[in-house]
Every structure is written in C-alpha cells, then in structure tokens.
Amino acid sequence: MKIAIILATVLATAFGTKLQYGFPSFQYSPFTGRVVGGKEAPAHAAPYIVSLQFLGSHFCGGSIIADKYVLTAAHCLAYPSLLVSAVAGLHNVGGTSGSQSRSVSKQTQHSKYGGDVGPYDIGIITLSKAFDFNDKIQPVALPASGVIHSGSATLYGWGSTSTTSTASMPKLLQTVTKPIIEYSACEAHLGGPGASPLADTNICTGPLSGGISACSGDSGGPLVQENGGKLEIIGVVSWGYIPCGSVDAPSVYTRVSAYTDWIKERI
C-alpha cells in the first residue's frame, strides 16, 4: 500500500519561496518532524508526550490529556485507526524500554476542520485501553477556556536540528523554549489579515531571527507553559515553513484554550 505524504505549497507573494508544512511525514522522509535549534530533553521530562506511529514508524506527536485520550492535530488523523498506535513513556523514539503502546479505537477531528492547512486543526484519539500512569507517563493539564498566552513556552518533539531540506535525525526527545508572538504581530509577519491560513484560534512562536522552529512531523506535538505551578498544554503544532527555522517565519500552533470546552465535552 502506498501512503501519500502531502506537503502544502503556498505561492502567495506574502510567503515568498517558503513552503508551508502541516502534514505528517515518516522518518524516512527528508522532511520528517524536527525541533530545529533544540537540544536533547532530560529523560522523561515530558511524561505526557506520545509518539503516534503508523505501522511502527513515528509520524506525529500527541499529548496525554486523560488515561484513554490523546490530544493531537486534526491533520495527524489521516490513517486508519487499525494501523495507528500511540506510544507513551519514550525518550528514544526508536526504542521500547519503559514504554506503553496502545491501539486506537477512535479518531475525532474537529467537525469544522476542512483539511489541508487551516483553522480547527485539532483532534482527539481515544485509546482501546487506558495508559497505566507512572513517573514516566502522566497527563498534561488543559488551559482555562479563552486564555491568551504570552511570555515563553516550551516545545517537545523528536527530530533534527537541521535547517535545510536534508534532515539530521536524533532519536532522542528534543526540546526548545520559544517566545510567544502576539497574534497581531504574527498576522503582520504573515502578510496581514487574510494573506495566510492564520486564524485567531492559533498561537505563534518565534524567534523571527530564525534558527529555531517546529517542523513537519512535530505536528500534533505539545507546546507547554507553566501556570501557577501547573504545566498546561497551550498549543498543538499545526503549520509553519520549510526550510524550518527560516528568518521571519513563525511556527503556528492550534491554541488549545480556544477548544478547551470542545475537548472536555469529548473526554
């Protein structure tokens, strides 16, 4: 069976020659998911992160929000549930030590998600069996509904530090802390209102000086921030630019606080 790996090309003048990403890719793809400019995370520093795997190959990230539920991007829900697994407790994405793998019983995309790169890029995976929580596997909290975040936030994912189309793929979990860009500033950098798929339900991170970015297979993974001593997932990796880490090219996430009520209704 052949699986298409789709990369959206944006030709608008506002985007120059950059390519948007917003679709999962496999580890053998030259555009596999990466945390560009990141460093190796301490082992199990993000006990809520999961590797979504298609026939055993990582293609997207996700976050545990309850023992039987994983939050991810809608565009990551592209493959039959029967062939997808959610693996928690990993540090080395190529290993199995200390991990728990669960099959998928249901995938729920937001009903308004239109496919491709755009708003409502959020989804929930229901597992066939609950994760057994321990010190390596824990849920992450949801933010309060409607909160607009500022300051800095931390991204986790498996991938390369390469800023070219040729990936350099560490197997160990990577992390980077990034500044949150105010929505109006992000919109302006993307060409102004209506010039990009950006919506007010997104959250953007920099730095606009380049060298630090999320990328394709990081899709669905967590952007987190501490709030009152509690770690919350504030963003789900949605889309950005290739080459990843380009100057003046923000990373764009689905803002979880815009969907907190929607999520709670489904778990």
Side-chain angles (χ1 to χ4, degrees):
M1 179 172 59
K2 296 182 179 179
I3 301 296
I5 299 175
I6 308 171
L7 293 173
T9 303
V10 177
L11 300 178
T13 302
F15 296 139
T17 59
K18 300 182 181 75
L19 302 179
Q20 283 186 321
Y21 70 85
F23 291 86
S25 57
F26 297 105
Q27 288 182 324
Y28 53 74
S29 165
F31 294 112
T32 301
R34 58 184 94 176
V35 174
V36 172
K39 62 182 180 180
E40 181 184 345
H44 309 294
Y48 43 84
I49 195 169
V50 301
S51 167
L52 298 183
Q53 300 188 0
F54 177 83
L55 297 176
S57 292
H58 172 83
F59 68 92
C60 267
S63 300
I64 302 169
I65 53 172
D67 59 0
K68 286 189 70 173
Y69 297 95
V70 171
L71 187 68
T72 189
H75 75 256
C76 288
L77 307 182
Y79 309 119
S81 296
L82 182 65
L83 303 178
V84 176
S85 57
V87 186
L90 290 174
H91 182 62
N92 183 338
V93 76
T96 58
S97 178
S99 68
Q100 296 177 25
S101 180
R102 297 291 186 263
S103 58
V104 172
S105 65
K106 183 180 179 181
Q107 301 182 85
T108 304
Q109 291 182 331
H110 195 286
S111 61
K112 293 185 178 180
Y113 175 63
D116 203 60
V117 177
Y120 304 102
D121 188 13
I122 195 164
I124 297 172
I125 290 175
T126 305
L127 306 175
S128 58
K129 178 184 176 182
F131 285 123
D132 297 317
F133 291 155
N134 55 40
D135 60 341
K136 298 179 181 179
I137 301 174
Q138 289 287 327
V140 65
L142 297 172
S145 180
V147 172
I148 302 300
H149 309 279
S150 60
S152 61
T154 302
L155 172 67
Y156 287 93
W158 286 277
S160 168
T161 57
S162 172
T163 55
T164 72
S165 59
T166 302
S168 173
M169 296 300 301
K171 291 186 177 293
L172 304 180
L173 185 66
Q174 302 289 294
T175 186
V176 67
T177 297
K178 311 177 69 182
I180 295 172
I181 302 172
E182 186 177 353
Y183 179 79
S184 59
C186 184
E187 185 178 55
H189 278 281
L190 295 176
S196 77
L198 191 70
D200 61 6
T201 53
N202 289 127
I203 184 172
C204 303
T205 64
L208 298 174
S209 55
I212 297 175
S213 176
C215 203
S216 306
D218 276 332
S219 289
L223 182 73
V224 298
Q225 186 181 64
E226 188 173 316
N227 179 17
K230 180 175 63 175
L231 201 65
E232 296 177 340
I233 178 167
I234 66 170
V236 172
V237 178
S238 183
W239 60 273
Y241 295 93
I242 294 173
C244 300
S246 297
V247 174
D248 205 34
S251 298
V252 182
Y253 311 76
T254 302
R255 177 168 57 84
V256 177
S257 65
Y259 299 96
T260 300
D261 294 340
W262 179 86
I263 294 166
K264 287 181 176 180
E265 289 171 1
R266 285 154 182 80
I267 66 172

